[in-house]
């Protein structure tokens, strides 16, 4: 794979990892804040609500962060060329 392909894959990978971190942070934050008592109660944690929150943050941010990361790395390669 040439340097353009490696740069694009690296940027997309970093973007996806950042999206995963953001989704995890938001799911943990909602679990901690426990709005309406839906995430945890005396009976324990409702993991399906935590998972739904993670997915609801991860799905949209993965595409945008991945594409942005790939675009930034492609621009970096273009600027290094000239």
């Amino acid at each position: 794979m040439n340097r353009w392909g490696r740069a694009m894959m690296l940027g997309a990978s970093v973007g996806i990892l950042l999206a995963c971190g953001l989704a995890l942070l938001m799911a943990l934050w909602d679990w901690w804040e426990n709005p309406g008592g839906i995430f945890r109660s005396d009976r324990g944690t409702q993991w399906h609500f935590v998972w739904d929150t993670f997915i609801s943050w991860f799905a949209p941010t993965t595409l945008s962060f991945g594409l942005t990361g790939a675009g930034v790395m492609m621009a970096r390669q273009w600027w290094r060329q000239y």
Side-chain angles (χ1 to χ4, degrees):
M1 187 182 305
N2 63 12
R3 68 186 178 104
W4 292 89
R6 284 193 308 271
M8 190 170 61
M9 292 300 291
L10 176 65
S13 298
V14 169
I16 291 169
L17 285 174
L18 287 174
C20 186
L22 177 64
L24 181 63
L25 176 71
M26 297 311 290
L28 289 174
W29 187 356
D30 277 348
W31 178 84
W32 181 259
E33 291 290 322
N34 199 23
I38 63 169
F39 287 92
R40 54 190 162 86
S41 65
D42 297 336
R43 293 178 288 170
T45 298
Q46 302 295 322
W47 290 109
H48 62 280
F49 284 120
V50 177
W51 177 249
D52 286 345
T53 302
F54 176 83
I55 293 298
S56 72
W57 277 93
F58 183 68
T61 56
T62 297
L63 184 61
S64 61
F65 282 27
L67 289 175
T68 301
V72 166
M73 290 303 289
M74 294 295 283
R76 182 177 178 265
Q77 286 298 316
W78 183 75
W79 282 317
R80 284 180 60 191
Q81 185 177 358
Y82 295 106

